[in-house]
Amino acid sequence: MADAKSPRKASETGRKAWLNLVGFKKGDERPNIIVAAVDRTMKPIHVARVDSDGNFDLPASALKEAHRIIIGPDVDNLQTLDLKNVLRYRPNQFAELLERGALNIPGLRWETWLGYIKCVTGSVRHCRPFPPWWLELQQALTEPLIPIERLQPQTSLRAMRSLRSQVSTPASKLSVSGGLNVAQQSLVSDALVRFPWYRCDPVCIGTVEVYQRRCCCRPWIIDDIVVDLEDILDDLPIEVEFPPIPIPWPDPPEPWWFETKLFTGGVLNEKLLNARRDLNAIRSLPRQEAMAYIDARPYLWHCTCGGATKVAEGFINPDATFNLCWFTWSHLLPGNCHYEYAYVVKQQINGMTVVIYNGLAANQWFNEGVDAELVSYHPQAIGCPDPGQGVNDAAVYLDTIGGTESWNLATPNAAGWDRVAMPAYNSGLVFPAATDAAAAGQYLNCNWGGTLVLRYMFTWQLKATGAKYYRISWIKADGSGNPDPSATREYFTDGLVWKKYESFESVPVTLGPNPVGGENYLYEIPYYDGTINWTGAVTHHGYIDTTKFADGRYLVTVEIFDAAGKRLKPTGTPSIAAGDIAKSFHYLRWYQDTPAPGDDFSNVPYAALTHLFWWDNRAVTAKLVSVYMDGAEFNEECMFLEGTVASTVALAYRAYHPNPRFHHSHGLGWRRGFGSFPFSTGGFADAPADALGVPLNVHGNVGTEPGFAPGVSGTQTFGDMLRPDIDPTRTKCTFTVTLSVQAKTTNGSGFVLPVGDYGSFALEIMPPGP
């Protein structure tokens, strides 16, 4: 203990006094301490700093005006002090203590005032999901039981509709076999990583705010955690999957999934995402294994946490990491307590500050010492694309079409600068499958449509070759993969402006089009070479509005030019025209090989890079034709159908795409009244498929209806639809029936929304005759 000293006498201006740090030894680190007179709002009246001998001077006037006297660590802002770790006195009590002698400070108190540097580290990514996956994920969250196979990448929405009909089945008939179990723990969250229609870019520009809180966790009880998870799942509404009426292309400008319960502040709700998996695991595992399962997942623990305090702010590094430190003082925590950290990431987007990741709002906290991986799903977030996907050479390749990486495009090998080899049956389509039968009802062998946004990769090494401009063009293909001799080559000619981050603001840069050296429609290559931070929302190099051209296969080509407008070609390749200049670089085609997808490139030995696309903007047909009751057809405007509990209802309808290959799925549903009562919705089984084409089309012979009668769905009984077994008084009611037909048409970032039709009629169960 420090040697005791005689108390100092008060000066004329105040009280000359000293502090004695109990337990302090020679050589120990001494904290910086203040003695402050404050008012009721913690606003300082006078702050006295304690010197290395423990001396301080507090004026009598300050002591007289003060509401409290505070002794604690030296900080810039007294209002940030944690009052649990300081000493507080009433002024008269403090004066009396000073009269008695040295003011003794216990070691357990002053040791918490030792300042030190605390740091957090992490990284930031921006991920863009592809809509079919989100439909399946939402389905997994809302349905009572979802078999594991429904969550695989090629799940069909048609299969999900059949699952939806199970909700109208009595609980006693629902099968739990195939439901999620602990052996399949990774099924939902791992889909985020493995699903191919999912792309993430590092975020290398922005600011990160760090918030700290203290949490103390009480011993948890398994039953309490089970109740919590059940409450989360019970609160999930079953949402309408598709609207029942036609909605035209294009997709809505804002992603529909962003405002669901699955996201808050651009952050994926991981507790909600994993709730069903965790609940099934805890219920299925032996008690000791269940306890270990919970112990490994802190987000399941029962903890009481204090308020959040902002402790640091700084910039994201060019490599998308952050390392932020701040000065603090030691806080001794009870054994069941710990510190947690949440992050808020902001970017300047089009002159406005946008929060792209809000861990505070999403209640997303990280334990101390964890290298935080922050993933933003905010639709406006700006990523910094990887300049090359591992290609460490001067090269050009097609990177993405919309949000889809080009290795998903079934394009034949190049056979020239402007043509490809003989096309296969599905060449030019996206997400290829071996056969149409294998692709039926799935988002495979999909046709392009709408506006295709093209993004090429010009590696930074290409700049050394003198490549300055690029040009994008397309022309209709013939059946052999050559340019159609009767077609005219089209060029991308619209103005294109990117934005770069310069002096803490976004500066527009016009890329083109430019006429250079007798060549037209040239655009400057925006290199990712480390000298420019491209920060705008526009990161594509061109686009094609496919609705302006006839449906069919097209050859899409990119060329590059030097500053004088001279076309550059890879060394050793044939020229397109006289004057082409050979340079050491490669055109590459990104393709899929086994076992890992999208990790291979093939050299294209020609003077330009050409891919084959097949677009088809024709809509699917959805038409309800008539109603069958007990095998008799009715198609009146107003239908009042009378029958028995066992009487059957079926629908005659047409559901097809002019090219059966591009019909994804369709579904038939019914709703009683407003559908707000138990078992008031249901569905009809699909009609048998056409003999021609893919088996999902229902009577539309490649777009021609004459000679083909409508298909007739499976039946539902009056009893199935009215359910008098639940409410004996409900023997009649009105019904709405819907037909929803989905095409495979995609622009690479979403699918064309479904087309639908609807109708209505009334059913009544008549009493038995005399």
Side-chain angles (χ1 to χ4, degrees):
M1 183 173 69
D3 295 334
K5 300 181 181 179
S6 300
R8 311 289 176 85
K9 293 184 179 181
S11 66
E12 291 184 1
T13 59
R15 294 189 176 274
K16 194 75 173 181
W18 66 284
L19 301 182
N20 179 41
L21 303 185
V22 178
F24 184 83
K25 300 179 180 65
K26 185 176 181 180
D28 287 348
E29 183 182 358
R30 187 183 187 92
N32 296 321
I33 302 174
I34 58 171
V35 179
V38 299
D39 63 15
R40 293 180 180 274
T41 65
M42 285 292 292
K43 184 177 179 181
I45 297 171
H46 181 85
V47 176
R49 285 176 170 80
V50 180
D51 66 20
S52 59
D53 293 324
N55 301 318
F56 67 93
D57 194 358
L58 187 66
S61 58
L63 189 62
K64 183 177 180 179
E65 295 178 31
H67 172 66
R68 291 287 185 268
I69 305 299
I70 301 293
I71 302 178
D74 192 356
V75 295
D76 294 331
N77 184 358
L78 293 181
Q79 293 178 329
T80 65
L81 278 173
D82 185 350
L83 296 183
K84 295 178 182 178
N85 294 305
V86 301
L87 297 174
R88 288 176 286 177
Y89 301 92
R90 296 182 177 89
N92 59 338
Q93 293 174 332
F94 185 76
E96 183 178 338
L97 290 173
L98 291 184
E99 293 293 343
R100 294 178 185 176
L103 196 63
N104 293 313
I105 310 296
L108 287 177
R109 189 66 73 179
W110 65 260
E111 287 175 356
T112 67
W113 301 342
L114 290 168
Y116 67 101
I117 300 297
K118 181 176 282 191
C119 299
V120 293
T121 63
S123 59
V124 188
R125 288 183 298 153
H126 173 228
C127 293
R128 300 185 299 277
F130 205 63
W133 183 82
W134 293 110
L135 288 172
E136 297 182 19
L137 180 57
Q138 181 72 17
Q139 189 80 4
L141 294 170
T142 57
E143 292 292 2
L145 294 168
I146 298 296
I148 175 68
E149 62 270 15
R150 299 298 192 266
L151 293 175
Q152 299 306 316
Q154 281 77 39
T155 298
S156 70
L157 296 184
R158 186 186 189 200
M160 292 195 296
R161 289 194 188 94
S162 67
L163 275 178
R164 185 172 296 282
S165 66
Q166 290 186 35
V167 179
S168 299
T169 304
S172 61
K173 295 184 179 180
L174 284 175
S175 170
V176 297
S177 62
L180 309 188
N181 56 55
V182 68
Q184 299 151 343
Q185 294 172 14
S186 64
L187 77 218
V188 177
S189 54
D190 283 0
L192 286 166
V193 178
R194 75 168 184 266
F195 196 74
W197 301 331
Y198 187 84
R199 182 183 176 111
C200 297
D201 289 325
V203 173
C204 61
I205 297 173
T207 59
V208 179
E209 298 175 355
V210 185
Y211 293 82
Q212 176 183 272
R213 72 178 183 182
R214 187 176 75 170
C215 294
C216 298
C217 303
R218 67 182 188 272
W220 40 262
I221 300 173
I222 289 181
D223 290 345
D224 291 344
I225 294 175
V226 167
V227 170
D228 287 349
L229 294 172
E230 288 175 340
D231 288 344
I232 290 173
L233 296 174
D234 287 345
D235 193 44
L236 288 174
I238 295 177
E239 300 182 0
V240 176
E241 187 175 299
F242 285 136
I245 56 176
I247 295 181
W249 185 275
D251 290 338
E254 292 296 328
W256 65 269
W257 46 265
F258 188 66
E259 297 300 329
T260 66
K261 289 186 178 182
L262 207 54
F263 297 88
T264 302
V267 183
L268 183 65
N269 187 331
E270 293 185 359
K271 187 171 184 178
L272 176 61
L273 177 69
N274 295 315
R276 189 173 304 283
R277 178 199 68 179
D278 292 337
L279 181 60
N280 286 342
I282 295 169
R283 285 173 170 171
S284 304
L285 287 170
R287 189 170 186 83
Q288 286 301 115
E289 292 182 37
M291 293 176 68
Y293 182 93
I294 296 170
D295 194 53
R297 292 160 176 79
Y299 62 83
L300 293 175
W301 300 352
H302 282 177
C303 300
T304 301
C305 300
T309 302
K310 183 178 176 180
V311 292
E313 180 176 355
F315 293 102
I316 301 174
N317 300 323
D319 62 355
T321 64
F322 58 87
N323 311 280
L324 304 178
C325 300
W326 64 97
F327 183 82
T328 185
W329 52 89
S330 176
H331 291 157
L332 297 180
L333 295 174
N336 64 331
C337 298
H338 63 280
Y339 285 111
E340 295 182 349
Y341 298 92
Y343 303 90
V344 175
V345 181
K346 300 178 180 178
Q347 288 186 318
Q348 291 293 321
I349 301 174
N350 296 327
M352 299 180 62
T353 300
V354 178
V355 176
I356 65 166
Y357 179 98
N358 193 334
L360 275 180
N363 200 31
Q364 185 74 35
W365 292 85
F366 295 84
N367 286 343
E368 194 166 9
V370 172
D371 192 32
E373 296 183 3
L374 311 183
V375 181
S376 169
Y377 297 86
H378 196 289
Q380 292 179 275
I382 298 170
C384 302
D386 176 11
Q389 299 287 347
V391 176
N392 298 313
D393 198 357
V396 181
Y397 64 88
L398 178 61
D399 187 17
T400 59
I401 308 104
T404 300
E405 293 176 332
S406 69
W407 57 267
N408 292 286
L409 171 65
T411 185
N413 290 327
W417 75 269
D418 62 347
R419 62 201 62 208
V420 296
M422 177 64 70
Y425 89 101
N426 63 347
S427 292
L429 303 182
V430 63
F431 313 125
T435 64
D436 278 329
Q442 303 181 62
Y443 285 108
L444 301 175
N445 286 341
C446 298
N447 57 301
W448 299 100
T451 297
L452 307 185
V453 177
L454 304 177
R455 177 179 166 193
Y456 287 87
M457 184 59 68
F458 303 94
T459 64
W460 63 269
Q461 296 94 332
L462 185 69
K463 190 173 184 179
T465 69
K468 185 172 183 179
Y469 300 104
Y470 68 91
R471 179 167 66 189
I472 298 173
S473 62
W474 56 94
I475 190 169
K476 191 168 179 50
D478 64 15
S480 299
N482 302 316
D484 187 330
S486 65
T488 302
R489 180 169 294 275
E490 305 285 344
Y491 292 87
F492 175 62
T493 62
D494 291 350
L496 186 61
V497 177
W498 283 31
K499 289 186 177 180
K500 64 179 179 179
Y501 192 69
E502 187 175 88
S503 301
F504 301 100
E505 64 178 353
S506 293
V507 178
V509 177
T510 300
L511 302 184
N514 304 291
V516 181
E519 299 285 353
N520 293 316
Y521 317 128
L522 304 190
Y523 293 78
E524 188 171 347
I525 299 173
Y527 284 103
Y528 291 94
D529 59 358
T531 62
I532 296 179
N533 286 321
W534 297 106
T535 184
V538 176
T539 60
H540 58 262
H541 300 90
Y543 50 83
I544 305 171
D545 182 354
T546 66
T547 63
K548 295 181 178 179
F549 305 98
D551 298 314
R553 284 171 164 158
Y554 284 77
L555 297 156
V556 179
T557 300
V558 64
E559 309 159 80
I560 61 173
F561 301 81
D562 65 13
K566 296 294 184 180
R567 184 186 294 105
L568 303 184
K569 65 171 187 172
T571 300
T573 63
S575 297
I576 296 175
D580 291 353
I581 300 174
K583 291 288 184 178
S584 181
F585 74 97
H586 299 282
Y587 284 115
L588 301 176
R589 181 171 67 84
W590 195 8
Y591 69 99
Q592 177 177 352
D593 199 0
T594 56
D599 60 347
D600 297 279
F601 294 86
S602 61
N603 184 56
V604 178
Y606 297 103
L609 178 63
T610 294
H611 293 79
L612 184 68
F613 284 76
W614 185 352
W615 59 72
D616 191 327
N617 285 287
R618 292 175 294 177
V620 287
T621 291
K623 184 186 296 184
L624 288 172
V625 177
S626 59
V627 177
Y628 280 83
M629 188 190 82
D630 290 336
E633 185 177 15
F634 298 88
N635 60 4
E636 290 82 2
E637 180 180 2
C638 300
M639 287 181 281
F640 303 88
L641 305 178
E642 299 173 344
T644 68
V645 172
S647 292
T648 60
V649 178
L651 302 178
Y653 69 99
R654 300 183 188 276
Y656 64 89
H657 190 282
N659 185 333
R661 178 176 290 127
F662 303 149
H663 179 182
H664 178 276
S665 57
H666 65 271
L668 294 156
W670 58 262
R671 184 175 70 175
R672 185 175 65 243
F674 283 91
S676 55
F677 293 89
F679 309 110
S680 58
T681 61
F684 297 88
D686 293 347
D690 288 346
L692 301 176
V694 178
L696 291 177
N697 259 20
V698 173
H699 294 275
N701 180 18
V702 195
T704 61
E705 294 179 4
F708 288 85
V712 179
S713 73
T715 61
Q716 291 272 282
T717 68
F718 278 34
D720 292 333
M721 300 175 72
L722 287 166
R723 295 307 299 267
D725 56 320
I726 296 177
D727 182 359
T729 66
R730 189 171 53 232
T731 58
K732 58 182 176 181
C733 196
T734 57
F735 290 83
T736 301
V737 289
T738 60
L739 169 62
S740 179
V741 186
Q742 176 67 35
K744 294 185 179 182
T745 310
T746 179
N747 62 359
S749 295
F751 288 98
V752 62
L753 292 178
V755 171
D757 195 10
Y758 58 93
S760 64
F761 50 79
L763 300 182
E764 182 176 3
I765 298 174
M766 302 301 292

